[in-house]
Amino acid sequence: MDIKAVSAQIDADIQEINSLEALEQFRLKYLGRKGLVAELTSAIPGLPQEERARFGQEVNALKNKLLSLIAEKQKTLAGSSGQAAQAAGDLGMPGISQSLGQLHPLTQVTDEICAIFNRMGFSIVEGPEIESEYNNFTGLNIPLEHPSREAFDTFYLKNYTKMLLRSHTSPVQVRQMKEQKPPLAIVVPGRVYRPDAVDAAHSFMFHQIEGFMVDTGIKFSDLKGILEMFAQAVFGNDIKMRFRPHFFPFTEPSAEVDISCIICKGKGCSVCGRKGWLEILGSGMIHPNVFKHVGIDADKYTGFAFGLGIERIAMLKYGINDIRLFFENDLRFLRQF
Ligand code: PHE
């Protein structure tokens, strides 16, 4: 086949082209799988040895010429014929979706619990993670050298005497009661620290929500009613609660609160240790000594307080069996929420 003749034919053909469809036909005619260039290429092995190299080069040059002619023509057609969109790509093609981030499961549970209390009239405040020894202990009626300090042991700051990482959110009770006068209804979400060895159930840092209400005539039954509303809102209406007598220095009387096991409904299983109950929080009536420390008249006002662990609630709610999962930043875990 005469390459020169083919080349001349190409020059003639390209002149005629006035649409992208025609250009595609042109491309197929020459560069398609069964096009002329393919035909010429497949003829090479049949040529005499001494002609092969030269012929090959000529075919290659022809191919390059075609490619540049097509590219050029495509540009002029796209610019002039109103088919710009088509040339620029298929606008009807599905887009590439951006994957949105989401809130950490602990943040979601915190928001949910705060919203429940907010609907019952509680305001939401926060306090600092670096606290004074006074607010974390003394103001809460936990005297120096008292054995109950051990339960709230924490990390002390080296260069600041009497400053520490709060071991519970209760110091915010002291802060708020000094700042505001009753009536008070407040919840406090936040991080707390304890020098616990890390395992499936413990972490040196975790999250709590403190809640308290102070006014004239606040009774233990108010505490029970509010907590029951809360537990049912989080775990469902058929959840049962029980109050077990307990000791906290800052409440009197004090109680630990259990809910009926959400897995076995109270029958006893491995999650609840065959007890049928799961501990979810500590609570009680605010101790008169705490009121004394913050300057609230204990003869006039009463109040309740409670503190719950957010990880514990989240683990029960979602059936998570290891607290470390919350803090490892493994996206395979986090993306499930
Ligand atoms: N601060 C207590 C704890 O961390 C919980 C608590 C809060 C108990 C308020 C009673 C009243 O264990």
Side-chain angles (χ1 to χ4, degrees):
M1 206 181 298
D2 184 355
I3 289 201
K4 277 213 186 81
V6 176
S7 182
Q9 185 62 49
I10 288 172
D11 290 335
D13 282 357
I14 197 88
Q15 299 298 329
E16 306 287 305
I17 289 172
N18 52 18
S19 75
L20 287 167
E21 289 81 30
L23 184 62
E24 179 60 8
Q25 289 307 315
F26 171 86
R27 190 186 68 78
L28 287 172
K29 174 177 173 188
Y30 291 101
L31 292 175
R33 214 150 45 83
K34 292 185 177 148
L36 263 168
V37 170
E39 205 177 302
L40 290 170
T41 307
S42 66
I44 295 175
L47 293 173
Q49 183 77 39
E50 60 280 10
E51 276 181 39
R52 281 186 207 163
R54 186 190 49 81
F55 191 80
Q57 280 165 13
E58 281 177 5
V59 174
N60 241 342
L62 196 68
K63 194 166 147 191
N64 289 334
K65 171 182 170 153
L66 278 161
L67 287 172
S68 72
L69 278 175
I70 290 171
E72 217 172 278
K73 194 74 176 179
Q74 199 160 31
K75 259 193 230 156
T76 33
L77 286 174
S80 64
S81 66
Q83 288 170 312
Q86 203 175 345
D90 182 356
L91 293 183
M93 231 158 75
I96 299 161
S97 68
Q98 297 291 322
S99 72
L100 286 178
Q102 75 243 54
L103 294 174
H104 191 282
L106 289 177
T107 309
Q108 291 186 37
V109 172
T110 305
D111 289 352
E112 183 188 338
I113 296 173
C114 285
I116 292 166
F117 284 106
N118 195 233
R119 284 200 293 275
M120 294 193 276
F122 287 74
S123 46
I124 301 157
V125 306
E126 288 180 311
E129 288 167 35
I130 296 176
E131 257 301 0
S132 65
E133 189 178 39
Y134 181 86
N135 287 344
N136 198 73
F137 292 119
T138 318
L140 288 166
N141 197 36
I142 314 176
L144 205 71
E145 313 301 344
H146 192 278
S148 71
R149 249 193 209 212
E150 222 174 277
F152 302 104
D153 196 12
T154 183
F155 301 95
Y156 287 79
L157 272 70
K158 236 188 186 159
N159 300 323
Y160 302 88
T161 45
K162 299 190 186 268
M163 294 300 274
L164 44 77
L165 298 182
R166 65 180 178 191
S167 54
H168 48 173
T169 41
S170 300
V172 189
Q173 283 187 44
V174 178
R175 288 177 172 271
Q176 286 296 317
M177 289 197 275
K178 270 187 178 161
E179 218 169 84
Q180 307 187 50
K181 291 299 144 217
L184 295 173
I186 293 172
V187 285
V188 185
R191 241 174 234 144
V192 301
Y193 301 84
R194 290 185 198 176
D196 285 338
V198 175
D199 62 25
H202 297 88
S203 168
F204 57 87
M205 182 278 297
F206 58 99
H207 298 74
Q208 287 188 329
I209 292 180
E210 191 83 8
F212 57 98
M213 186 181 266
V214 182
D215 200 355
T216 54
I218 299 286
K219 303 179 296 296
F220 199 89
S221 54
D222 295 317
L223 170 67
K224 289 183 83 170
I226 295 263
L227 288 180
E228 198 165 298
M229 296 272 284
F230 151 73
Q232 291 184 346
V234 175
F235 294 110
N237 284 339
D238 52 354
I239 216 80
K240 288 193 192 66
M241 287 192 108
R242 82 174 173 186
F243 286 68
R244 272 182 296 107
H246 195 76
F247 173 77
F248 294 108
F250 31 92
T251 45
E252 180 60 33
S254 305
E256 277 190 334
V257 176
D258 300 339
I259 55 167
S260 51
C261 179
I262 52 175
I263 309 293
C264 64
K265 308 270 179 250
K267 285 193 205 77
C269 67
S270 63
V271 172
C272 58
R274 324 253 158 245
K275 291 195 282 267
W277 296 95
L278 298 159
E279 183 199 322
I280 56 161
L281 59 86
S283 66
M285 299 304 288
I286 297 174
H287 198 291
N289 285 351
V290 176
F291 281 143
K292 220 173 278 169
H293 278 296
V294 297
I296 287 180
D297 184 353
D299 290 330
K300 186 169 170 202
Y301 293 105
T302 52
F304 66 71
F306 61 87
L308 57 86
I310 298 174
E311 281 80 358
R312 178 126 182 102
I313 305 278
M315 287 168 84
L316 292 173
K317 192 175 155 78
Y318 296 121
I320 297 163
N321 59 9
D322 194 322
I323 195 171
R324 289 169 291 198
L325 287 164
F326 289 122
F327 309 120
E328 285 168 345
N329 277 339
D330 186 336
L331 291 179
R332 289 170 305 177
F333 170 74
L334 296 174
R335 284 204 175 113
Q336 296 176 74
F337 301 97

mmCIF file of all heavy atoms in Angstrom, residues 140 142 151-152 167-171 173 192 194 206 208-212 246-251 253-256 279 281-286 304-308, ligand 1:
data_model
loop_
_atom_site.group_PDB
_atom_site.id
_atom_site.type_symbol
_atom_site.label_atom_id
_atom_site.label_comp_id
_atom_site.label_asym_id
_atom_site.label_seq_id
_atom_site.Cartn_x
_atom_site.Cartn_y
_atom_site.Cartn_z
ATOM 1 N N LEU A 140 -15.826 19.319 98.169
ATOM 2 C CA LEU A 140 -16.820 18.250 98.036
ATOM 3 C C LEU A 140 -16.856 17.358 99.277
ATOM 4 O O LEU A 140 -17.296 16.208 99.217
ATOM 5 C CB LEU A 140 -16.511 17.399 96.790
ATOM 6 C CG LEU A 140 -16.808 18.088 95.457
ATOM 7 C CD1 LEU A 140 -16.153 17.329 94.303
ATOM 8 C CD2 LEU A 140 -18.321 18.181 95.219
ATOM 9 N N ILE A 142 -14.495 15.928 100.828
ATOM 10 C CA ILE A 142 -13.553 14.800 100.863
ATOM 11 C C ILE A 142 -12.305 15.314 101.572
ATOM 12 O O ILE A 142 -11.464 15.953 100.947
ATOM 13 C CB ILE A 142 -13.161 14.304 99.454
ATOM 14 C CG1 ILE A 142 -14.409 14.168 98.545
ATOM 15 C CG2 ILE A 142 -12.420 12.979 99.528
ATOM 16 C CD1 ILE A 142 -14.084 13.764 97.113
ATOM 17 N N ALA A 151 -10.485 6.628 96.199
ATOM 18 C CA ALA A 151 -11.387 6.289 95.087
ATOM 19 C C ALA A 151 -11.323 7.340 93.989
ATOM 20 O O ALA A 151 -11.615 7.065 92.827
ATOM 21 C CB ALA A 151 -12.813 6.163 95.600
ATOM 22 N N PHE A 152 -10.952 8.565 94.362
ATOM 23 C CA PHE A 152 -10.887 9.653 93.380
ATOM 24 C C PHE A 152 -9.451 10.123 93.171
ATOM 25 O O PHE A 152 -9.208 11.280 92.868
ATOM 26 C CB PHE A 152 -11.763 10.823 93.843
ATOM 27 C CG PHE A 152 -13.196 10.413 94.034
ATOM 28 C CD1 PHE A 152 -13.709 10.220 95.307
ATOM 29 C CD2 PHE A 152 -14.017 10.201 92.945
ATOM 30 C CE1 PHE A 152 -15.028 9.826 95.487
ATOM 31 C CE2 PHE A 152 -15.341 9.801 93.119
ATOM 32 C CZ PHE A 152 -15.851 9.611 94.392
ATOM 33 N N SER A 167 -10.664 14.267 88.850
ATOM 34 C CA SER A 167 -10.928 12.827 88.789
ATOM 35 C C SER A 167 -12.414 12.537 88.626
ATOM 36 O O SER A 167 -12.826 11.393 88.500
ATOM 37 C CB SER A 167 -10.397 12.142 90.043
ATOM 38 O OG SER A 167 -10.920 12.759 91.195
ATOM 39 N N HIS A 168 -13.222 13.590 88.653
ATOM 40 C CA HIS A 168 -14.650 13.460 88.358
ATOM 41 C C HIS A 168 -15.177 14.836 87.943
ATOM 42 O O HIS A 168 -14.445 15.829 88.023
ATOM 43 C CB HIS A 168 -15.441 12.875 89.539
ATOM 44 C CG HIS A 168 -15.172 13.507 90.886
ATOM 45 N ND1 HIS A 168 -15.890 13.200 92.016
ATOM 46 C CD2 HIS A 168 -14.263 14.432 91.292
ATOM 47 C CE1 HIS A 168 -15.441 13.902 93.043
ATOM 48 N NE2 HIS A 168 -14.461 14.653 92.633
ATOM 49 N N THR A 169 -16.426 14.871 87.476
ATOM 50 C CA THR A 169 -16.979 16.173 87.070
ATOM 51 C C THR A 169 -17.629 16.905 88.249
ATOM 52 O O THR A 169 -18.064 18.044 88.101
ATOM 53 C CB THR A 169 -18.009 15.995 85.932
ATOM 54 O OG1 THR A 169 -18.813 14.843 86.193
ATOM 55 C CG2 THR A 169 -17.329 15.845 84.591
ATOM 56 N N SER A 170 -17.647 16.266 89.421
ATOM 57 C CA SER A 170 -18.278 16.893 90.588
ATOM 58 C C SER A 170 -17.700 18.266 90.983
ATOM 59 O O SER A 170 -18.453 19.093 91.498
ATOM 60 C CB SER A 170 -18.231 15.929 91.780
ATOM 61 O OG SER A 170 -18.927 14.742 91.474
ATOM 62 N N PRO A 171 -16.392 18.532 90.777
ATOM 63 C CA PRO A 171 -15.911 19.881 91.126
ATOM 64 C C PRO A 171 -16.686 21.008 90.435
ATOM 65 O O PRO A 171 -16.712 22.136 90.944
ATOM 66 C CB PRO A 171 -14.438 19.871 90.703
ATOM 67 C CG PRO A 171 -14.197 18.600 89.972
ATOM 68 C CD PRO A 171 -15.247 17.652 90.417
ATOM 69 N N GLN A 173 -19.811 21.177 90.302
ATOM 70 C CA GLN A 173 -20.871 21.532 91.276
ATOM 71 C C GLN A 173 -20.412 22.707 92.133
ATOM 72 O O GLN A 173 -21.133 23.679 92.317
ATOM 73 C CB GLN A 173 -21.128 20.358 92.228
ATOM 74 C CG GLN A 173 -21.940 19.206 91.690
ATOM 75 C CD GLN A 173 -22.236 18.207 92.825
ATOM 76 O OE1 GLN A 173 -22.589 18.598 93.930
ATOM 77 N NE2 GLN A 173 -22.085 16.931 92.532
ATOM 78 N N VAL A 192 -12.499 13.201 82.501
ATOM 79 C CA VAL A 192 -11.933 13.041 83.845
ATOM 80 C C VAL A 192 -10.763 12.056 83.793
ATOM 81 O O VAL A 192 -10.624 11.309 82.824
ATOM 82 C CB VAL A 192 -13.005 12.553 84.852
ATOM 83 C CG1 VAL A 192 -14.156 13.537 84.931
ATOM 84 C CG2 VAL A 192 -13.505 11.162 84.494
ATOM 85 N N ARG A 194 -8.048 9.284 85.969
ATOM 86 C CA ARG A 194 -7.693 8.503 87.154
ATOM 87 C C ARG A 194 -6.526 7.590 86.798
ATOM 88 O O ARG A 194 -6.478 7.065 85.681
ATOM 89 C CB ARG A 194 -8.871 7.648 87.626
ATOM 90 C CG ARG A 194 -9.971 8.510 88.215
ATOM 91 C CD ARG A 194 -11.114 7.709 88.799
ATOM 92 N NE ARG A 194 -12.284 8.591 88.937
ATOM 93 C CZ ARG A 194 -13.476 8.206 89.334
ATOM 94 N NH1 ARG A 194 -13.669 6.955 89.670
ATOM 95 N NH2 ARG A 194 -14.467 9.062 89.422
ATOM 96 N N PHE A 206 -11.456 9.177 80.949
ATOM 97 C CA PHE A 206 -12.769 8.800 80.437
ATOM 98 C C PHE A 206 -13.711 9.995 80.574
ATOM 99 O O PHE A 206 -13.253 11.105 80.894
ATOM 100 C CB PHE A 206 -13.297 7.528 81.120
ATOM 101 C CG PHE A 206 -13.421 7.597 82.617
ATOM 102 C CD1 PHE A 206 -14.643 7.851 83.221
ATOM 103 C CD2 PHE A 206 -12.315 7.411 83.431
ATOM 104 C CE1 PHE A 206 -14.762 7.913 84.612
ATOM 105 C CE2 PHE A 206 -12.422 7.468 84.813
ATOM 106 C CZ PHE A 206 -13.652 7.722 85.407
ATOM 107 N N GLN A 208 -17.503 11.799 81.828
ATOM 108 C CA GLN A 208 -18.655 11.731 82.731
ATOM 109 C C GLN A 208 -19.654 12.820 82.391
ATOM 110 O O GLN A 208 -19.321 13.800 81.722
ATOM 111 C CB GLN A 208 -18.210 11.962 84.191
ATOM 112 C CG GLN A 208 -17.447 10.810 84.808
ATOM 113 C CD GLN A 208 -17.214 11.029 86.301
ATOM 114 O OE1 GLN A 208 -17.081 12.162 86.763
ATOM 115 N NE2 GLN A 208 -17.159 9.940 87.054
ATOM 116 N N ILE A 209 -20.875 12.610 82.875
ATOM 117 C CA ILE A 209 -21.827 13.723 82.911
ATOM 118 C C ILE A 209 -22.286 13.863 84.351
ATOM 119 O O ILE A 209 -22.752 12.896 84.962
ATOM 120 C CB ILE A 209 -23.024 13.493 81.973
ATOM 121 C CG1 ILE A 209 -22.560 13.552 80.523
ATOM 122 C CG2 ILE A 209 -24.096 14.578 82.221
ATOM 123 C CD1 ILE A 209 -23.653 13.345 79.494
ATOM 124 N N GLU A 210 -22.077 15.044 84.886
ATOM 125 C CA GLU A 210 -22.546 15.374 86.218
ATOM 126 C C GLU A 210 -23.903 16.028 86.062
ATOM 127 O O GLU A 210 -24.143 16.737 85.073
ATOM 128 C CB GLU A 210 -21.562 16.391 86.834
ATOM 129 C CG GLU A 210 -21.753 16.651 88.297
ATOM 130 C CD GLU A 210 -21.057 15.574 89.128
ATOM 131 O OE1 GLU A 210 -20.320 14.753 88.543
ATOM 132 O OE2 GLU A 210 -21.268 15.550 90.346
ATOM 133 N N GLY A 211 -24.798 15.781 87.007
ATOM 134 C CA GLY A 211 -26.066 16.500 86.983
ATOM 135 C C GLY A 211 -26.421 16.899 88.396
ATOM 136 O O GLY A 211 -26.119 16.152 89.331
ATOM 137 N N PHE A 212 -26.998 18.077 88.575
ATOM 138 C CA PHE A 212 -27.467 18.427 89.922
ATOM 139 C C PHE A 212 -28.585 19.446 89.850
ATOM 140 O O PHE A 212 -28.712 20.198 88.871
ATOM 141 C CB PHE A 212 -26.329 18.905 90.826
ATOM 142 C CG PHE A 212 -25.550 20.073 90.301
ATOM 143 C CD1 PHE A 212 -25.827 21.373 90.743
ATOM 144 C CD2 PHE A 212 -24.541 19.899 89.364
ATOM 145 C CE1 PHE A 212 -25.111 22.454 90.268
ATOM 146 C CE2 PHE A 212 -23.817 20.981 88.893
ATOM 147 C CZ PHE A 212 -24.102 22.258 89.338
ATOM 148 N N HIS A 246 -25.163 3.442 99.065
ATOM 149 C CA HIS A 246 -23.727 3.511 98.794
ATOM 150 C C HIS A 246 -23.149 4.649 99.618
ATOM 151 O O HIS A 246 -23.884 5.329 100.333
ATOM 152 C CB HIS A 246 -23.515 3.763 97.292
ATOM 153 C CG HIS A 246 -22.113 3.500 96.833
ATOM 154 N ND1 HIS A 246 -21.627 2.229 96.662
ATOM 155 C CD2 HIS A 246 -21.092 4.333 96.502
ATOM 156 C CE1 HIS A 246 -20.366 2.297 96.244
ATOM 157 N NE2 HIS A 246 -20.027 3.569 96.150
ATOM 158 N N PHE A 247 -21.852 4.871 99.513
ATOM 159 C CA PHE A 247 -21.269 6.026 100.203
ATOM 160 C C PHE A 247 -20.534 6.925 99.225
ATOM 161 O O PHE A 247 -19.685 6.465 98.455
ATOM 162 C CB PHE A 247 -20.289 5.583 101.298
ATOM 163 C CG PHE A 247 -19.553 6.742 101.901
ATOM 164 C CD1 PHE A 247 -20.180 7.571 102.829
ATOM 165 C CD2 PHE A 247 -18.250 7.055 101.506
ATOM 166 C CE1 PHE A 247 -19.517 8.670 103.367
ATOM 167 C CE2 PHE A 247 -17.583 8.166 102.041
ATOM 168 C CZ PHE A 247 -18.225 8.962 102.977
ATOM 169 N N PHE A 248 -20.893 8.193 99.209
ATOM 170 C CA PHE A 248 -20.076 9.241 98.597
ATOM 171 C C PHE A 248 -19.949 10.343 99.643
ATOM 172 O O PHE A 248 -20.951 10.667 100.303
ATOM 173 C CB PHE A 248 -20.725 9.812 97.336
ATOM 174 C CG PHE A 248 -20.841 8.829 96.197
ATOM 175 C CD1 PHE A 248 -22.076 8.306 95.838
ATOM 176 C CD2 PHE A 248 -19.719 8.420 95.477
ATOM 177 C CE1 PHE A 248 -22.193 7.395 94.798
ATOM 178 C CE2 PHE A 248 -19.834 7.504 94.433
ATOM 179 C CZ PHE A 248 -21.062 6.987 94.099
ATOM 180 N N PRO A 249 -18.774 10.943 99.797
ATOM 181 C CA PRO A 249 -18.601 11.978 100.825
ATOM 182 C C PRO A 249 -19.453 13.217 100.554
ATOM 183 O O PRO A 249 -19.802 13.945 101.485
ATOM 184 C CB PRO A 249 -17.112 12.337 100.734
ATOM 185 C CG PRO A 249 -16.478 11.241 99.955
ATOM 186 C CD PRO A 249 -17.531 10.679 99.060
ATOM 187 N N PHE A 250 -19.797 13.457 99.271
ATOM 188 C CA PHE A 250 -20.472 14.708 98.908
ATOM 189 C C PHE A 250 -21.974 14.571 98.798
ATOM 190 O O PHE A 250 -22.669 15.515 98.440
ATOM 191 C CB PHE A 250 -19.896 15.278 97.600
ATOM 192 C CG PHE A 250 -19.411 14.214 96.649
ATOM 193 C CD1 PHE A 250 -20.255 13.695 95.681
ATOM 194 C CD2 PHE A 250 -18.119 13.726 96.739
ATOM 195 C CE1 PHE A 250 -19.810 12.698 94.814
ATOM 196 C CE2 PHE A 250 -17.667 12.730 95.878
ATOM 197 C CZ PHE A 250 -18.505 12.217 94.923
ATOM 198 N N THR A 251 -22.500 13.360 99.068
ATOM 199 C CA THR A 251 -23.962 13.190 99.082
ATOM 200 C C THR A 251 -24.362 12.381 100.309
ATOM 201 O O THR A 251 -23.607 11.523 100.783
ATOM 202 C CB THR A 251 -24.460 12.456 97.816
ATOM 203 O OG1 THR A 251 -23.624 11.331 97.556
ATOM 204 C CG2 THR A 251 -24.469 13.381 96.616
ATOM 205 N N PRO A 253 -28.378 11.004 101.831
ATOM 206 C CA PRO A 253 -27.894 9.651 101.545
ATOM 207 C C PRO A 253 -27.367 9.525 100.115
ATOM 208 O O PRO A 253 -27.654 10.361 99.269
ATOM 209 C CB PRO A 253 -29.156 8.806 101.728
ATOM 210 C CG PRO A 253 -30.286 9.745 101.406
ATOM 211 C CD PRO A 253 -29.845 11.087 101.895
ATOM 212 N N SER A 254 -26.614 8.452 99.872
ATOM 213 C CA SER A 254 -26.055 8.207 98.544
ATOM 214 C C SER A 254 -26.568 6.870 98.003
ATOM 215 O O SER A 254 -26.912 5.981 98.788
ATOM 216 C CB SER A 254 -24.527 8.131 98.600
ATOM 217 O OG SER A 254 -23.986 9.299 99.184
ATOM 218 N N ALA A 255 -26.582 6.763 96.701
ATOM 219 C CA ALA A 255 -27.019 5.504 96.103
ATOM 220 C C ALA A 255 -26.305 5.270 94.783
ATOM 221 O O ALA A 255 -26.008 6.226 94.054
ATOM 222 C CB ALA A 255 -28.524 5.530 95.856
ATOM 223 N N GLU A 256 -26.018 4.025 94.520
ATOM 224 C CA GLU A 256 -25.602 3.658 93.168
ATOM 225 C C GLU A 256 -26.850 3.182 92.443
ATOM 226 O O GLU A 256 -27.721 2.543 93.037
ATOM 227 C CB GLU A 256 -24.520 2.581 93.196
ATOM 228 C CG GLU A 256 -23.151 3.199 93.412
ATOM 229 C CD GLU A 256 -22.007 2.222 93.208
ATOM 230 O OE1 GLU A 256 -22.197 1.001 93.382
ATOM 231 O OE2 GLU A 256 -20.904 2.683 92.883
ATOM 232 N N GLU A 279 -24.693 -1.493 86.670
ATOM 233 C CA GLU A 279 -24.505 -0.215 87.356
ATOM 234 C C GLU A 279 -24.267 0.880 86.319
ATOM 235 O O GLU A 279 -23.462 0.707 85.410
ATOM 236 C CB GLU A 279 -23.307 -0.321 88.283
ATOM 237 C CG GLU A 279 -23.077 0.922 89.088
ATOM 238 C CD GLU A 279 -21.664 0.993 89.630
ATOM 239 O OE1 GLU A 279 -21.130 -0.063 90.032
ATOM 240 O OE2 GLU A 279 -21.100 2.094 89.631
ATOM 241 N N LEU A 281 -24.615 4.615 87.353
ATOM 242 C CA LEU A 281 -24.223 5.921 87.908
ATOM 243 C C LEU A 281 -24.232 5.949 89.424
ATOM 244 O O LEU A 281 -24.757 5.048 90.081
ATOM 245 C CB LEU A 281 -25.131 7.026 87.352
ATOM 246 C CG LEU A 281 -26.644 6.948 87.571
ATOM 247 C CD1 LEU A 281 -27.050 7.558 88.912
ATOM 248 C CD2 LEU A 281 -27.350 7.685 86.457
ATOM 249 N N GLY A 282 -23.626 7.021 89.953
ATOM 250 C CA GLY A 282 -23.655 7.283 91.394
ATOM 251 C C GLY A 282 -24.486 8.533 91.635
ATOM 252 O O GLY A 282 -24.537 9.425 90.790
ATOM 253 N N SER A 283 -25.146 8.584 92.807
ATOM 254 C CA SER A 283 -26.047 9.715 93.035
ATOM 255 C C SER A 283 -26.332 9.903 94.519
ATOM 256 O O SER A 283 -25.894 9.105 95.352
ATOM 257 C CB SER A 283 -27.372 9.462 92.311
ATOM 258 O OG SER A 283 -28.030 8.360 92.916
ATOM 259 N N GLY A 284 -27.060 10.944 94.824
ATOM 260 C CA GLY A 284 -27.471 11.166 96.208
ATOM 261 C C GLY A 284 -27.962 12.584 96.429
ATOM 262 O O GLY A 284 -28.051 13.381 95.491
ATOM 263 N N MET A 285 -28.299 12.875 97.694
ATOM 264 C CA MET A 285 -28.718 14.236 98.055
ATOM 265 C C MET A 285 -27.476 15.015 98.478
ATOM 266 O O MET A 285 -26.667 14.522 99.291
ATOM 267 C CB MET A 285 -29.733 14.184 99.209
ATOM 268 C CG MET A 285 -31.018 13.431 98.883
ATOM 269 S SD MET A 285 -31.879 14.064 97.422
ATOM 270 C CE MET A 285 -32.514 15.629 98.056
ATOM 271 N N ILE A 286 -27.313 16.204 97.950
ATOM 272 C CA ILE A 286 -26.096 16.990 98.198
ATOM 273 C C ILE A 286 -25.879 17.183 99.701
ATOM 274 O O ILE A 286 -26.792 17.585 100.434
ATOM 275 C CB ILE A 286 -26.169 18.351 97.467
ATOM 276 C CG1 ILE A 286 -26.230 18.107 95.954
ATOM 277 C CG2 ILE A 286 -24.959 19.215 97.825
ATOM 278 C CD1 ILE A 286 -26.460 19.356 95.117
ATOM 279 N N PHE A 304 -30.184 17.396 94.711
ATOM 280 C CA PHE A 304 -29.607 16.075 94.403
ATOM 281 C C PHE A 304 -28.486 16.238 93.388
ATOM 282 O O PHE A 304 -28.377 17.279 92.717
ATOM 283 C CB PHE A 304 -30.671 15.087 93.900
ATOM 284 C CG PHE A 304 -31.295 15.448 92.563
ATOM 285 C CD1 PHE A 304 -30.577 15.341 91.379
ATOM 286 C CD2 PHE A 304 -32.628 15.879 92.498
ATOM 287 C CE1 PHE A 304 -31.159 15.649 90.154
ATOM 288 C CE2 PHE A 304 -33.210 16.195 91.279
ATOM 289 C CZ PHE A 304 -32.466 16.087 90.099
ATOM 290 N N ALA A 305 -27.639 15.215 93.321
ATOM 291 C CA ALA A 305 -26.557 15.210 92.337
ATOM 292 C C ALA A 305 -26.356 13.779 91.853
ATOM 293 O O ALA A 305 -26.690 12.825 92.558
ATOM 294 C CB ALA A 305 -25.266 15.738 92.949
ATOM 295 N N PHE A 306 -25.856 13.670 90.647
ATOM 296 C CA PHE A 306 -25.512 12.332 90.138
ATOM 297 C C PHE A 306 -24.354 12.460 89.161
ATOM 298 O O PHE A 306 -24.085 13.553 88.634
ATOM 299 C CB PHE A 306 -26.720 11.667 89.449
ATOM 300 C CG PHE A 306 -27.237 12.437 88.256
ATOM 301 C CD1 PHE A 306 -26.696 12.245 86.992
ATOM 302 C CD2 PHE A 306 -28.258 13.369 88.405
ATOM 303 C CE1 PHE A 306 -27.167 12.969 85.904
ATOM 304 C CE2 PHE A 306 -28.731 14.092 87.322
ATOM 305 C CZ PHE A 306 -28.184 13.894 86.064
ATOM 306 N N GLY A 307 -23.644 11.356 88.967
ATOM 307 C CA GLY A 307 -22.539 11.356 88.002
ATOM 308 C C GLY A 307 -22.547 10.045 87.247
ATOM 309 O O GLY A 307 -22.604 8.976 87.860
ATOM 310 N N LEU A 308 -22.549 10.127 85.932
ATOM 311 C CA LEU A 308 -22.569 8.882 85.150
ATOM 312 C C LEU A 308 -21.398 8.815 84.184
ATOM 313 O O LEU A 308 -20.875 9.845 83.742
ATOM 314 C CB LEU A 308 -23.902 8.738 84.416
ATOM 315 C CG LEU A 308 -24.360 9.832 83.462
ATOM 316 C CD1 LEU A 308 -23.789 9.612 82.068
ATOM 317 C CD2 LEU A 308 -25.880 9.837 83.412
HETATM 318 N N1 PHE B 1 -18.398 11.843 91.355
HETATM 319 C C1 PHE B 1 -18.840 10.489 91.570
HETATM 320 C C2 PHE B 1 -17.877 9.546 90.839
HETATM 321 O O1 PHE B 1 -17.122 9.970 90.010
HETATM 322 C C3 PHE B 1 -20.237 10.253 91.032
HETATM 323 C C4 PHE B 1 -21.265 11.042 91.811
HETATM 324 C C5 PHE B 1 -21.626 12.313 91.385
HETATM 325 C C6 PHE B 1 -21.870 10.481 92.933
HETATM 326 C C7 PHE B 1 -22.580 13.023 92.096
HETATM 327 C C8 PHE B 1 -22.829 11.183 93.615
HETATM 328 C C9 PHE B 1 -23.175 12.451 93.182
HETATM 329 O O2 PHE B 1 -17.864 8.353 91.111
#
